[in-house]
C-alpha cells in the first residue's frame, strides 16, 4: 500500500485496519512447536480483493440532487470512497454522524466520495428517494447520495450497510470494511 493510501486509511478509517494476528503455536506431533498463520476465512462470493479495479465505475446512478453520478465521475485526485448505505438500517443510523463527518473531511482532502443506496424502497419505504433527500439534507452530506438498481452493489460484493470501499487515485481497492 502506498503512502497516500495508508494516510487515507488512517485518517478516515483508523479503527478499521486489521492488525496482524499473532502466530499460533501448535504441536507438530513430535514434541516440537511450530508456528503458522491462523486460517483466514474465504472472502464472500463476488467480493473484491485488494488491488482490484472498481467494478462498474462508469454506471450512472440518479442522485438526490437530480443529477446522475458514477464512481468514476466523483473520482478524487487522492482516491475515492464508496459507501454502501441506506436509511433504515440501525447500524447506518448509529454510525451516521461519524460516517458523514469522515466522508465530508475526505472531500476536503482530495478524496472523491459517493454514497450508494442499493436497497429496495418497496421493502423499506424510507429507503426511497424522498427519504434519501431528507437524510442527505439533515446530515449535510457534501457528496452525491445515489440509488443503485442493485448492479453496482452486487459487482462489489456489498452485503451489508454501511460498507466502505476505499480506492486509490487509479480506482484500485486499498481498503474494504465497516466504519469502525
Amino acid at each position: 500500500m502506498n503512502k497516500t493510501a495508508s494516510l487515507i486509511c488512517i485518517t478516515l478509517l483508523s479503527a478499521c485496519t486489521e492488525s496482524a494476528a499473532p502466530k499460533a503455536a501448535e504441536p507438530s506431533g513430535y514434541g516440537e512447536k511450530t508456528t503458522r498463520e491462523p486460517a483466514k476465512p474465504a472472502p464472500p462470493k463476488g467480493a473484491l480483493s485488494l488491488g482490484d479495479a472498481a467494478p462498474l465505475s462508469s454506471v450512472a446512478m440518479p442522485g438526490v440532487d437530480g443529477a446522475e453520478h458514477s464512481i468514476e465521475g466523483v473520482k478524487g485526485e487522492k482516491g475515492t470512497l464508496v459507501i454502501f448505505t441506506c436509511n433504515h438500517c440501525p447500524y447506518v443510523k448509529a454510525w451516521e454522524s461519524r460516517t458523514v463527518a469522515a466522508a465530508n473531511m475526505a472531500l476536503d482532502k482530495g478524496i472523491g466520495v459517493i454514497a450508494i443506496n442499493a436497497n429496495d424502497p418497496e421493502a423499506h419505504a424510507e429507503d426511497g428517494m424522498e427519504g434519501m433527500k431528507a437524510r442527505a439534507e439533515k446530515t449535510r452530506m457534501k457528496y452525491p447520495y445515489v440509488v443503485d438498481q442493485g448492479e453496482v452493489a452486487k459487482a462489489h460484493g456489498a452485503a451489508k450497510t454501511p460498507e466502505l470501499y476505499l480506492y486509490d487515485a487509479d480506482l484500485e481497492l486499498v481498503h474494504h470494511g465497516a466504519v469502525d
Side-chain angles (χ1 to χ4, degrees), residues 158-174:
K160 56 189 169 288
T161 55
E163 192 164 359
L164 310 178
Y165 292 78
L166 181 61
Y167 294 96
D168 65 15
D170 297 319
L171 289 179
E172 292 180 358
L173 187 65
V174 294

Side-chain angles (χ1 to χ4, degrees), residues 8 11-12 81 100-113 166:
I8 293 167
T11 303
L12 295 176
L81 178 63
V100 173
N104 285 342
M105 182 181 69
L107 286 172
D108 296 337
K109 298 195 178 292
I111 300 165
V113 179
L166 181 61

Side-chain angles (χ1 to χ4, degrees), residues 13 15-16 95 98 164 177-180:
L13 311 164
C16 294
W95 288 326
R98 291 179 295 190
L164 310 178
V179 175
D180 54 21

Side-chain angles (χ1 to χ4, degrees), residues 10 13 15-16 20-22 32 36 39 45 68 73-74 77 84 88-89 98 138 142 144 151 153 155:
I10 290 168
L13 311 164
C16 294
E32 297 177 16
R36 71 177 186 186
K45 186 175 181 179
E68 299 263 320
V74 302
E77 184 179 304
F84 288 96
H88 81 276
C89 174
R98 291 179 295 190
K138 176 185 149 219
K142 296 179 185 176
E151 60 188 37

